[in-house]
Amino acid sequence: MKSLLRVLLLAMSMVACAQEYEPLPMNLDPLSLDEMEDAEVVQMPALQQEEDEAEEVEEVLDVPRDQTRVAVLGYHNFSETAPVTRMLMRTSEFREQMAYLKRAGLTVISMQDFLEWRMGNRTLPARCVLITLDDGWKSVYTDAYPILKEFGYPFTLFLYTKFLNGRGDSLTPQQVKEMQANGATIGSHSVSHLYPRDWKKADKEGPEAYAKLLDVEFGESQKTLSGMFGMVNTFCFPGGYNTPAMVERMPGYGYVAAFTIIPGKVTVTESPYAIPRYMIFGNDASVFRSAVDFRVAQLGTVVSTGARPGTLPARTPLPPFAVSPKPHETVSPDLTAITAYMSGVAGVDFSSVQMRVSGFGRVPAKVDQATRAVQWVLPCRIYMPNISVHVTWKSTDGSSHKAEWSFSIDPNASIKTVNSIP
């Protein structure tokens, strides 16, 4: 009996530990963290919990409109059992991707937020995500919708009206209305989801035939969907195919924005009828990693990495060691490195030292054993207005510590270094 009791207690303990320290997925991080980092997270639960709590209270601030970038994600169909294709994604992978958005601190916005920002009526955080789902597959309701609802993410359904009858794998209007009541916005995806050959055929028949087809596919779709679900004013080009004649007629049908399948971050400068969008494929995770990677420099703009502002609260204590750049210092965008000089701190276990930088996450900082300096050499110029740095370490007695500071970037400062990466 005592042996049985010990086995039961051991099993209960293992279940409790597994629930408390569930490892994070290791295949989604665009910062290319290796498996060792994930193992370290599991081995240091107390420190990880402390960091998670700090991230939860960190306020995500709005920035000037021209410093926001939006990654528009496009999905199609979902299943946990059917063969994966470009258009069909594992439901569990979709959930992992949605969880990553939360872990990475990315702001998921609604279509209304997006349009108001584009039209100059509001500001947003620097790194935002807009989730869109094309066609109207039933799995959007059965698989994706519960996950989106769980995370509280708004999303947009781009529907084509001939695939909105509940037959086969299509959604019903009632399912769409339920999702609409819980965070969904409705956009048009035409009436018939025509292929380019159909448009080219109409074009050969002359301007009148082409205009008639536009009235049906673009105009009737807008009217039908608006009648069913309220005003519809956004469009998604089927297959991304579009022509100047299509774009010219967009405002006349009541559309204020149209989305392509050309990948790229959205700023305030793109044409409202040629908005970039990342199509997230079920058999290629690299597109998702590119979409949520906001580190890539953009030549000619003040925002290089798109990270949220890194200004720490005024009450944040100064680091117990010298750092470069100094706290509250303003530096040039051609800053080459961020350094923490930890020689004055006793008992540092340098194998445990980690550095995180706003907009980059955990960075591959190097430790110089001779000088006890921890330094990260920047891969590109930085144009964000504010940067925060977080250094964590453990002492030889096992206690955990954190030092934080922030500095500013002057985007108008002269560039002194030669750098092939703008």
Side-chain angles (χ1 to χ4, degrees):
M1 179 62 70
K2 290 183 179 180
S3 298
L4 178 59
L5 180 60
R6 283 197 295 270
V7 171
L8 289 174
L9 290 173
L10 177 60
M12 292 171 64
S13 175
M14 292 174 65
V15 171
C17 289
Q19 292 174 344
E20 184 175 1
Y21 304 129
E22 180 183 0
L24 300 176
M26 294 184 290
N27 62 334
L28 295 176
D29 197 332
L31 303 185
S32 302
L33 305 184
D34 55 25
E35 295 185 10
M36 183 59 69
E37 177 179 359
D38 291 306
E40 292 170 355
V41 170
V42 176
Q43 292 167 7
M44 297 190 293
L47 180 59
Q48 182 64 41
Q49 181 179 2
E50 177 185 343
E51 292 173 359
D52 289 345
E53 290 174 354
E55 291 175 359
E56 287 176 4
V57 300
E58 183 176 356
E59 183 180 5
V60 181
L61 302 176
D62 286 1
V63 298
R65 287 181 61 248
D66 64 353
Q67 294 183 17
T68 292
R69 287 193 293 161
V70 180
V72 184
L73 310 183
Y75 295 92
H76 286 83
N77 203 357
F78 306 89
S79 174
E80 195 58 35
T81 56
V84 168
T85 67
R86 285 167 64 90
M87 298 294 105
L88 189 144
M89 172 177 287
R90 281 278 175 267
T91 305
S92 56
E93 182 175 355
F94 179 71
R95 192 187 190 288
E96 289 179 0
Q97 292 184 359
M98 297 302 100
Y100 178 81
L101 300 181
K102 185 176 182 65
R103 293 202 308 274
L106 302 179
T107 301
V108 179
I109 61 174
S110 68
M111 181 61 76
Q112 185 64 31
D113 294 332
F114 178 84
L115 295 178
E116 290 180 0
W117 165 68
R118 286 277 304 185
M119 296 175 183
N121 297 326
R122 68 162 297 165
T123 56
L124 294 170
R127 304 182 305 165
C128 293
V129 172
L130 178 66
I131 300 171
T132 66
L133 304 104
D134 291 3
D135 299 342
W137 295 94
K138 185 176 294 183
S139 64
V140 169
Y141 179 80
T142 59
D143 292 46
Y145 169 54
I147 296 170
L148 294 164
K149 189 176 179 181
E150 173 190 348
F151 283 96
Y153 292 158
F155 56 101
T156 294
L157 302 174
F158 283 119
L159 307 173
Y160 68 98
T161 56
K162 284 190 176 180
F163 194 56
L164 187 58
N165 49 39
R167 293 194 293 269
D169 292 326
S170 67
L171 289 169
T172 67
Q174 291 73 25
Q175 290 170 334
V176 172
K177 289 180 180 179
E178 179 185 334
M179 290 188 283
Q180 191 178 21
N182 290 278
T185 300
I186 310 305
S188 172
H189 202 32
S190 78
V191 168
S192 310
H193 201 295
L194 297 179
Y195 291 99
R197 63 173 178 267
D198 299 308
W199 289 104
K200 292 175 182 178
K201 179 181 178 181
D203 188 34
K204 290 180 180 179
E205 294 175 357
E208 185 176 342
Y210 200 84
K212 184 177 180 179
L213 190 59
L214 282 172
D215 288 341
V216 172
E217 293 297 324
F218 290 21
E220 292 302 319
S221 174
Q222 194 274 344
K223 291 178 182 178
T224 300
L225 293 172
S226 295
M228 298 173 71
F229 308 114
M231 178 56 66
V232 168
N233 61 1
T234 59
F235 189 87
C236 171
F237 294 109
Y241 181 78
N242 65 89
T243 66
M246 293 179 182
V247 172
E248 182 181 356
R249 299 285 291 272
M250 280 284 161
Y253 297 125
Y255 298 117
V256 298
F259 294 77
T260 69
I261 60 170
I262 299 173
K265 301 296 188 296
V266 185
T267 68
V268 294
T269 62
E270 290 84 13
S271 164
Y273 302 109
I275 296 175
R277 192 167 61 132
Y278 294 89
M279 301 312 300
I280 310 302
F281 301 133
N283 59 1
D284 184 0
S286 66
V287 181
F288 178 79
R289 288 195 292 268
S290 297
V292 297
D293 186 348
F294 285 78
R295 298 172 301 166
V296 180
Q298 284 189 283
L299 184 62
T301 68
V302 297
V303 176
S304 170
T305 66
R308 61 192 177 196
T311 302
L312 294 168
R315 64 181 184 276
T316 304
L318 294 176
F321 41 72
V323 297
S324 176
K326 299 176 182 177
H328 312 303
E329 183 180 6
T330 298
V331 298
S332 167
D334 63 350
L335 171 72
T336 57
I338 298 174
T339 311
Y341 302 94
M342 302 181 69
S343 57
V345 181
V348 177
D349 176 5
F350 279 96
S351 66
S352 70
V353 176
Q354 296 184 11
M355 179 185 289
R356 285 178 168 81
V357 179
S358 58
F360 295 87
R362 180 180 170 183
V363 298
K366 303 297 183 182
V367 176
D368 186 328
Q369 294 287 353
T371 62
R372 296 166 66 91
V374 180
Q375 183 177 79
W376 177 50
V377 177
L378 275 67
C380 62
R381 292 176 182 145
I382 297 181
Y383 291 87
M384 291 178 295
N386 301 299
I387 302 292
S388 64
V389 185
H390 313 259
V391 176
T392 58
W393 72 96
K394 300 184 79 171
S395 296
T396 51
D397 62 5
S399 57
S400 300
H401 309 272
K402 176 188 287 187
E404 303 172 293
W405 77 98
S406 61
F407 58 91
S408 301
I409 301 290
D410 179 3
N412 298 315
S414 59
I415 303 297
K416 300 177 182 178
T417 61
V418 176
N419 190 341
S420 60
I421 304 177

